[in-house]
Amino acid sequence: MYHQVLVHPDDRDYQRIVFREEPDQPIKHYRLCTVTYDTKTAPYLAIESMRAAAKAYDDVYPQAVERIKRDFYVDDFLSGADDTNEATCLKQQVVEILSSAGFELRKWTSNNQELLQEQLTDKSAPVLMKFSEQGEAVKALGIQWFPTEDVYGFKVNLPDISFIFTKRQMISDSSKQFDPFGWLAPVLVKIKILYQQLWLFDVNWDDSLPPAVKAEWQEVRSTLHLLENMRIPRYLSPFRGRIQLHGFSDASEQAYAAVVYARSVDANGNISVVLIAAKSRVAPIKQVSLPRLELCGAWLLALLMERITEALSHLAIEHWAWTHSTIVFN
C-alpha cells in the first residue's frame, strides 16, 4: 500500500540512501520515491492518499466513498450490505475508486457464495483470501472470522511447558490472546488480577512464580484452549430493525467491568441479542471502597457506550444501561 504513494520530488532527499557494494568503490546515492514502510509518517500519508482518491468520487459514488472513509483499517477493508446486489455494486465501486489511484484490492472473502462465484469465473478478479492452516477461518484484523457461519472466533496457540513457570513466560502466553473488543474479558480480567498480584512480589523475569500465583495461572492456562469454542455473531441486527444498545456494569473488590449488547426485534416479536464489546479494569492496589468502584464501572460503561454509538452512528439506535438492576439512563 505504501509503495503506491509517490513522495513529492522536493521531499525525496529526506529519503536518501547511500550505498556501495565494496569499500573501495565510490558511494552511490539513491532516493526513495514512494512512501517508505516503517517511517512515522507512512501510515498517515498512505491513508490520506487513499481518502483523497475517494474524495474525487464524492459526486459519483457517495455511498462507496463513505464506506472507504469509514470501513478501512489501514489496508484492510471490512464492510457489507443487506443483499447480494448491493454488495456487488459496493465492491465494484470501491475497486474502481481505489484502482484509479493505484490501490489494487487483492484478497477477498465473503459469507455469500454467490458474491465469490463472480471472482472464480473472472480471470482478472482478485484472489480469494484463504489460509489453509486455519481451515474455514480467515483473519480479520487479528481475529478469526468463519464466513460460512458468519461468526468470529479465537485461536489459542500456547507452547507446551516442560519447565518452571516464570513471569516472562506468563506475560508472553497471556499477551498472545488478541482481544480488541473485550469478548474475552471474563477470562482476561483474571489474568490482569494475577499480573497485579505478581508485581507485589519481588520476582525477577526468569524466577519461578510464587506458589499462590502459579497455581491460579496453571489453572487458567490449562483451560485457555476452550476459548476456541467461542463464537460471536458478526451481524448485529438480523431483522434489519431498530437497534437497542443495552449496557451493563458491575464491580468487585478486585476489578470492575462494562459490557454492551445489541438487541433487535422483528415484526413477529422475535428477539436477537448480540454481544458488541466489553471493557474490564483491575481495582487499584490501594484499597478503594466498593461504591467508588461501582461508580468507576458506570463511568467505564458510559465511555464504552459513547464509543460504540459513535461507531454505529449510521444506524438508528436506542440506549439502555444498567448497573446491577438499576437503570442509569435512557
Side-chain angles (χ1 to χ4, degrees), residues 264-285:
S264 59
V265 185
D266 70 357
N268 298 321
N270 297 313
I271 298 173
S272 171
V273 178
V274 178
L275 173 64
I276 299 181
K279 278 281 187 182
S280 64
R281 292 184 180 176
V282 294
I285 294 178

Side-chain angles (χ1 to χ4, degrees), residues 196-268:
Q196 190 180 63
Q197 294 177 5
L198 195 58
W199 294 117
L200 297 177
F201 295 92
D202 186 17
V203 179
N204 293 322
W205 283 102
D206 295 312
D207 290 343
S208 179
L209 296 176
V213 176
K214 179 181 178 181
E216 290 193 57
W217 168 237
Q218 282 182 298
E219 181 181 358
V220 172
R221 191 182 190 279
S222 65
T223 57
L224 283 178
H225 68 278
L226 297 176
L227 296 177
E228 296 185 354
N229 298 327
M230 284 187 59
R231 294 293 182 267
I232 307 294
R234 180 196 61 83
Y235 197 33
L236 297 182
S237 180
F239 306 129
R240 303 182 188 177
R242 190 175 183 87
I243 291 180
Q244 296 178 347
L245 295 184
H246 288 250
F248 302 84
S249 70
D250 203 354
S252 70
E253 295 179 350
Q254 292 182 311
Y256 56 94
V259 61
V260 176
Y261 295 87
R263 180 182 184 271
S264 59
V265 185
D266 70 357
N268 298 321

